[in-house]
Amino acid sequence: MKGLLDTVDKWARRRIRAVYWKQWKKIKTKYRMLKALGLEEWKVKELAYSRKGYWRMAKALNQIFSKKIIAKLGYTSMLDYYLTVCEN
């Protein structure tokens, strides 16, 4: 069960990153939001001007949108919840 929940959590976090990337429709918005996350100037430009699709960019945003940031957004990990409920 732990392996399954870990896999589902990875997929869900990637989906969350894809949704946020999709919400930032304009390059100007992508640039501003990535800059607010504290990236270097060259990396911000590289990501903001990218023409890759949402799913692929979600993989590229993996290091930027870490588990901690996604947890701050309100997403609780299914694996963490499972481990607190099942005290094995």
Side-chain angles (χ1 to χ4, degrees):
M1 192 64 182
K2 291 178 187 176
L4 176 67
L5 287 176
D6 186 41
T7 305
V8 172
D9 271 342
K10 287 179 184 176
W11 179 87
R13 283 192 300 271
R14 188 170 178 183
R15 181 69 180 139
I16 289 169
R17 289 189 298 269
V19 167
Y20 272 93
W21 191 253
K22 198 170 192 175
Q23 285 178 351
W24 303 340
K25 294 183 181 224
K26 296 182 179 183
I27 293 173
K28 188 186 224 180
T29 308
K30 292 176 187 178
Y31 182 87
R32 188 180 62 229
M33 299 304 271
L34 290 171
K35 192 75 171 165
L37 288 171
L39 264 76
E40 298 174 8
E41 183 72 25
W42 68 272
K43 189 69 172 174
V44 171
K45 286 181 181 180
E46 181 181 332
L47 292 173
Y49 294 123
S50 176
R51 296 181 63 198
K52 294 178 182 164
Y54 301 116
W55 193 248
R56 189 158 175 196
M57 283 306 296
K59 191 170 184 175
L61 294 172
N62 189 22
Q63 294 174 352
I64 302 161
F65 275 107
S66 62
K67 291 181 184 180
K68 292 178 184 178
I69 293 175
I70 292 176
K72 284 181 184 178
L73 294 173
Y75 171 73
T76 56
S77 172
M78 289 180 247
L79 180 61
D80 293 341
Y81 180 74
Y82 173 76
L83 293 176
T84 57
V85 172
C86 297
E87 300 173 3
N88 291 343

